[in-house]
Amino acid sequence: MKYTFPKNFFWGAATSATQSEGREANDQKGENIWDYSSVKYNYRFYQGVTTEQTSTFYKEYKEDVQRMADLSFNSFRTSISWSRLIPDGVGEVNQEAVRFYRNMLEELNQKGIQPFINLYHFDMPMKLQEKGGFENREVIEAFKKYAETCFELFDDLVAYWFTFNEPMIPAEAGYLHDRHYPYVVDFKRAATVMHHIILAHCEAVKSYRAAYQGKIGIIMDIIPVYPRSQNPADLKAAEMADLFYTRSLNEAILKGAYPAELRPILEQYDQMPEVTSEDLALIKETTIDLLGVNYYKPRRVKAKEYLVDVNGIFSPEWFFDDYIMPGRRMNTSRGIEIYPEAMYDIAKKIQNDYGNIDWFISENGIGIQNEEAFIEEGMVQDDYRIDFVKEHLQWLHKAMAEGSNCLGYHMWTFVDCWSWINAYKNRYGFYRMDLETGEKTVKKSGLWFKTVIENKGFD
Ligand code: BGP
């Protein structure tokens, strides 16, 4: 075989609680920002589909775990819903939720599928959002207690824990770019949210290390930034995009300190959040065991075309423009570029800049609109998805041959699920979900992925 992968490579898929569980009458789940905003701001969601109609993992976890086993997965990531487990975020634990999560985790373990459990996937309990969410320092303490509750209740069934999925997103999408609730547009508030999320991550890792022996990490993206040209102005633009959107978070988590260049810029524009010396000490002492990397698209940038209005709202986009590269290969459903080579660049970056830490691809995938058009004889013939995964794995394989410590590959996602904003517009799953009947049917890519797992590679 041309592309072989190690014997213990993690093969599987990822999802998140809010996107896949669905809600049942009497499940006693509390409301989170998605339950709230998908109703209150329904027009912001594709075809107005709310979290009421997400996939049915809560009800059908047994059948779903069997579906994973049918594809020979050896691992699977989902998240615990904070507002399901602790409906108001800080008080009583919902025993229905404890039963569900324990049963689901037992089912995975029995089927030989290693659960990777994430604590926070964009889903702040509404009661805590009303107090300011992660903008409020008190919520760090609430998150720490929630994390400790999860460890106590489920650690006997979980060997791999993750604190956050893409921690930059709640800050960037919720407080700067108007995509996620609370739809604030204010850089300093976004920076405060991100700083507090980093501290919440550190606190959870600290609590875990004090009492448990498994692995704990975080899931982020390490989006490579590609400048339009080698012109110094384009290079500077790329440097700034990288500083704000990658290094700011990644160096805090992986190197124990924010990049030194950040503070003078934030101070110059009066955008520096409150950061204490105790905060910096905590960040410095926190390390992780395993890094998950989500990769969908590269970031291409160029120098600014026009001068910015420095009296307007501060933004990292003051320093660069996105670059639409002529001839780029597009996933037109999602409106994003497909660039598999970045898998290699990401791996190299981890190897060279972040100490070659143990890591895995925790999400990669392709969301396609109107996938029913590809159904033949009852099965989605998604050869495009097979090609997509193959190409990404080939670049990953090359980096691994050159010494990258990549331990696995998880696809986004297992069964078509609800997406933030796009709801069910773009389908990502190895299984198709029929929204009318709830029926789940394997796609061609799912069967192909099974052969890759069983053969530990492909030609
Ligand atoms: C990632 C998120 C996932 C998932 C995925 C697909 O960034 O971690 O939760 O949604 O993106 O993207 P989208 O849903 O925007 O199409």
Side-chain angles (χ1 to χ4, degrees):
M1 229 177 329
K2 203 160 162 203
Y3 301 99
T4 52
F5 288 83
K7 204 165 128 255
N8 298 327
F9 204 63
F10 304 129
W11 292 108
T15 191
S16 82
T18 302
Q19 292 175 273
S20 65
E21 286 177 0
R23 299 194 60 170
E24 289 295 300
N26 306 324
D27 66 12
Q28 291 167 44
K29 180 185 174 304
E31 197 178 37
N32 69 27
I33 56 172
W34 295 98
D35 304 320
Y36 174 79
S37 63
S38 65
V39 173
K40 169 100 181 168
Y41 299 93
N42 192 255
Y43 56 87
R44 284 178 174 259
F45 294 80
Y46 184 72
Q47 292 180 339
V49 180
T50 70
T51 56
E52 286 286 334
Q53 294 145 274
T54 61
S55 319
T56 46
F57 190 55
Y58 186 79
K59 196 169 71 186
E60 292 184 7
Y61 70 89
K62 270 196 180 165
E63 295 84 345
D64 281 348
V65 171
Q66 184 56 50
R67 290 183 179 101
M68 295 175 206
D70 290 345
L71 297 192
S72 302
F73 282 14
N74 62 19
S75 46
F76 168 67
R77 169 169 63 109
T78 189
S79 62
I80 290 172
S81 161
W82 187 351
S83 63
R84 182 184 292 286
L85 190 67
I86 306 174
D88 67 0
V90 285
E92 290 288 299
V93 168
N94 167 11
Q95 294 306 325
E96 289 296 320
V98 177
R99 259 191 295 279
F100 163 64
Y101 287 118
R102 285 202 65 87
N103 289 343
M104 181 268 285
L105 292 167
E106 272 163 14
E107 197 68 26
L108 285 165
N109 282 310
Q110 273 165 20
K111 294 261 153 54
I113 300 170
Q114 186 77 252
F116 285 26
I117 295 300
N118 175 35
L119 297 175
Y120 190 90
H121 199 125
F122 308 167
D123 54 348
M124 181 60 71
M126 202 53 207
K127 283 275 186 262
L128 292 179
Q129 187 62 43
E130 283 162 7
K131 294 184 182 162
F134 275 120
E135 214 179 333
N136 180 347
R137 260 183 192 260
E138 283 173 26
V139 174
I140 301 173
E141 186 59 27
F143 180 79
K144 179 179 176 221
K145 293 223 171 84
Y146 156 63
E148 288 170 352
T149 306
C150 292
F151 302 149
E152 268 166 47
L153 288 168
F154 310 121
D155 189 69
D156 58 323
L157 299 169
V158 178
Y160 294 91
W161 288 97
F162 299 89
T163 54
F164 285 85
N165 177 78
E166 296 183 5
M168 171 125 357
I169 296 292
E172 176 269 317
Y175 291 83
L176 185 61
H177 288 147
D178 192 38
R179 298 200 313 278
H180 294 184
Y181 189 78
Y183 310 124
V184 170
V185 180
D186 182 324
F187 181 88
K188 193 170 178 178
R189 292 177 65 183
T192 303
V193 168
M194 196 181 87
H195 178 58
H196 290 171
I197 288 179
I198 292 171
L199 297 178
H201 155 81
C202 294
E203 292 289 2
V205 170
K206 199 168 162 186
S207 294
Y208 185 75
R209 291 261 169 75
Y212 304 93
Q213 276 76 47
K215 305 255 185 222
I216 188 156
I218 192 166
I219 287 154
M220 311 194 296
D221 45 42
I222 300 195
I223 300 184
V225 184
Y226 300 101
R228 168 178 56 183
S229 75
Q230 294 302 302
N231 182 306
D234 283 341
L235 294 179
K236 183 69 192 170
E239 199 187 292
M240 294 303 270
D242 196 37
L243 177 65
F244 275 102
Y245 285 127
T246 310
R247 293 178 54 213
S248 57
L249 171 71
N250 294 4
E251 292 191 7
I253 301 286
L254 300 173
K255 290 184 162 179
Y258 287 114
E261 303 93 306
L262 207 51
R263 183 184 276 263
I265 303 172
L266 297 189
E267 282 176 349
Q268 181 185 347
Y269 294 102
D270 194 23
Q271 298 296 324
M272 186 65 199
E274 188 198 298
V275 176
T276 68
S277 51
E278 289 81 26
D279 295 349
L280 295 177
L282 179 63
I283 290 172
K284 191 165 180 199
E285 73 185 30
T286 307
T287 57
I288 57 164
D289 303 311
L290 181 60
L291 170 68
V293 174
N294 294 352
Y295 173 67
Y296 290 90
K297 62 171 195 299
R299 187 191 292 283
R300 296 192 190 277
V301 302
K302 63 182 180 184
K304 291 293 300 176
E305 295 273 334
Y306 302 104
L307 291 174
V308 292
D309 172 10
V310 290
N311 296 317
I313 297 171
F314 178 84
S315 165
E317 282 74 18
W318 279 14
F319 304 99
F320 66 89
D321 279 346
D322 287 332
Y323 174 52
I324 312 288
M325 186 178 74
R328 70 192 175 143
R329 182 173 152 202
M330 287 292 288
N331 168 5
T332 48
S333 298
R334 186 62 177 77
I336 58 178
E337 183 181 343
I338 297 174
Y339 188 64
E341 289 93 320
M343 293 293 257
Y344 178 80
D345 295 340
I346 291 169
K348 283 290 163 192
K349 214 172 174 37
I350 296 170
Q351 198 168 354
N352 299 330
D353 297 354
Y354 300 125
N356 208 8
I357 186 175
D358 283 349
W359 70 288
F360 71 111
I361 286 290
S362 41
E363 285 180 30
N364 181 221
I366 179 166
I368 297 292
Q369 193 171 3
N370 296 329
E371 240 189 357
E372 51 283 1
F374 297 92
I375 296 178
E376 274 171 38
E377 290 167 19
M379 186 185 280
V380 179
Q381 304 293 322
D382 52 347
D383 292 277
Y384 43 85
R385 186 166 286 110
I386 296 173
D387 293 343
F388 178 96
V389 177
K390 257 190 193 169
E391 282 184 75
H392 283 77
L393 282 174
Q394 283 164 1
W395 284 101
L396 192 61
H397 185 271
K398 178 173 159 64
M400 289 171 66
E402 293 173 22
S404 171
N405 286 325
C406 179
L407 305 185
Y409 177 91
H410 278 183
M411 184 73 168
W412 185 271
T413 184
F414 163 55
V415 176
D416 291 342
C417 69
W418 185 87
S419 257
W420 325 105
I421 305 171
N422 285 327
Y424 279 94
K425 174 174 171 275
N426 303 315
R427 303 306 187 93
Y428 284 88
F430 279 138
Y431 283 84
R432 176 170 173 79
M433 164 113 173
D434 185 317
L435 292 188
E436 302 287 303
T437 63
E439 198 193 355
K440 297 166 182 171
T441 45
V442 74
K443 300 179 191 174
K444 186 175 176 184
S445 61
L447 297 179
W448 172 80
F449 198 63
K450 175 183 167 74
T451 66
V452 175
I453 300 174
E454 287 172 0
N455 299 332
K456 301 183 180 22
F458 60 95
D459 271 321

